[in-house]
Amino acid sequence: MENSKRMSRVDSEIQKSLAKIISKFDDAELSSALISIMKVETFADFSMSKIYVSVFGDEAKKNHIVAKLNDNKKSIRYDLAHSLKLRIVPDLMFVVDNMEEKTARLNKLFDQIEKELPKAQETDEIED
């Protein structure tokens, strides 16, 4: 239990630090893009942190920004090492966070079910 609390705190600190680092990064595209660090998952052995990134824009822009982050992960990790008080700084892997699309798709399905549900209930009442 204590280990998961510690990992949660580490993930939170990595998330905060990365947000600052990326916003001040020496790359015009990265510093001007609307990037949010949605979630960080660090492996228990600190070998890797998976960074879920949300980028405002179309799918091509999202993929381009995430690729650019992965291309610059060495210098981002270097800056992260200087901002955190960790003995081991994990390697970074940036991925596109598709939670917004998944949520929108689920909401659309729920709306569709809601529209069809009254029709199904009406036919059950007529048959009774």
Side-chain angles (χ1 to χ4, degrees), residues 13 29 35 37-39 82-83 85 96 100 125:
E13 288 301 315
E29 268 186 301
I35 303 170
I37 308 297
M38 303 304 288
K39 182 178 171 183
H82 285 87
S83 68
K85 294 175 182 162
V96 176
E100 291 176 22
E125 290 173 4

Side-chain angles (χ1 to χ4, degrees), residues 39-55:
K39 182 178 171 183
V40 175
E41 291 178 347
T42 304
F43 293 8
D45 63 355
F46 285 87
S47 62
M48 176 79 67
S49 283
K50 195 177 215 183
I51 318 302
Y52 293 90
V53 179
S54 176
V55 180

Side-chain angles (χ1 to χ4, degrees), residues 1-13:
M1 184 71 173
E2 183 61 36
N3 192 24
S4 66
K5 286 182 182 178
R6 180 172 185 253
M7 290 308 295
S8 179
R9 284 195 317 260
V10 167
D11 289 344
S12 178
E13 288 301 315

